[in-house]
Amino acid sequence: MTTIIHLVRHGAHADAGRVLTGRGGDDGLASIGRAQAAWAAERLGSQKVVHVESSPQRRTRETAGVIAAVCGTEPEIVEALDELDFGDWTGRVIADLDGDPDWTRWNSARSQAQTPGGERMTDAVSRAVAHLNALGRQSWSGSVVCVSHADIIRGVVAHYLGLSLDRMLFFDVDPGSITSLVVGEWGGRLLSLNVQAA
């Protein structure tokens, strides 16, 4: 028994790439983010999607809503797909963290470091992978879409590829992109990574 799971990173929002939004704020999609969500919905509309899930964050809920509407279903909010809890870094301007030793360690040793007052990358990946493995053990009549966040998707891909989380920043997961896996009781296999509009 296997399930094809399409991991979609939410579309871009106003602070994307500038602020470490995390679980803070309530940013909805920017106009480019809505276009990215529409592209993902169009591409996934031909993939026999029968179930759509979303992280609780507004930017993911809006992206999932666009996809679900095209696929003829309603998105389900799933805590396991939530953004990493960045703790004290939540809402910080990313450029302001340059030179912070904790930030440097975080970005070079994700398998060991922890965000200050927040979540370990290993714990975030464990919760997401456990959920995807559970999806893979169910009998679906088609594929599943999970709308989540860059670090969560990178961590999941690293897990299924057998890579250390220290290597997860060596590949990109761009806003609105689709990364596809096949998941079953035996584990998971990467089908495609970071597919996005040309």
Side-chain angles (χ1 to χ4, degrees):
M1 188 181 302
T2 61
T3 302
I4 293 177
I5 301 175
H6 305 288
L7 302 174
V8 178
R9 183 181 173 186
H10 61 80
H13 55 94
D15 289 327
R18 188 183 70 84
V19 174
L20 200 58
T21 307
R23 298 182 183 181
D26 195 31
D27 286 350
L29 298 178
S31 58
I32 188 172
R34 289 190 292 275
Q36 290 162 340
W39 172 84
E42 180 180 4
R43 184 173 181 92
L44 291 167
S46 63
Q47 299 298 310
K48 199 181 177 188
V49 172
V50 295
H51 184 64
V52 177
E53 297 183 343
S54 172
S55 149
Q57 303 306 316
R58 180 180 170 189
R59 56 198 184 272
T60 47
R61 288 186 281 113
E62 289 184 358
T63 302
V66 173
I67 295 168
V70 169
C71 295
T73 187
E74 290 291 329
E76 177 184 348
I77 305 304
V78 175
E79 297 288 338
L81 299 174
D82 204 356
E83 174 67 288
L84 186 83
D85 181 356
F86 285 101
D88 298 343
W89 287 336
T90 301
R92 294 280 307 274
V93 173
I94 295 170
D96 292 346
L97 292 168
D98 285 346
D100 181 330
D102 289 335
W103 178 249
T104 300
R105 176 170 165 73
W106 168 252
N107 287 304
S108 62
R110 290 286 181 100
S111 65
Q112 302 169 38
Q114 180 170 356
T115 57
E119 191 174 20
R120 287 183 179 278
M121 193 72 234
T122 51
D123 293 336
V125 172
S126 291
R127 64 172 157 83
V129 166
H131 178 68
L132 297 183
N133 285 343
L135 289 176
R137 291 190 295 269
Q138 296 182 45
S139 296
W140 301 98
S141 58
S143 61
V144 174
V145 170
C146 295
V147 183
S148 191
H149 306 268
D151 277 355
I152 301 302
I153 297 171
R154 280 176 170 147
V156 163
V157 169
H159 168 84
Y160 286 121
L161 291 179
L163 298 176
S164 165
L165 293 179
D166 297 347
R167 304 287 293 177
M168 63 178 273
L169 298 183
F170 284 69
F171 55 88
D172 294 324
V173 174
D174 293 306
S177 66
I178 303 169
T179 293
S180 299
L181 305 165
V182 58
V183 179
E185 292 186 3
W186 44 269
R189 181 166 58 89
L190 182 67
L191 299 176
S192 60
L193 176 68
N194 197 37
V195 177
Q196 56 190 306

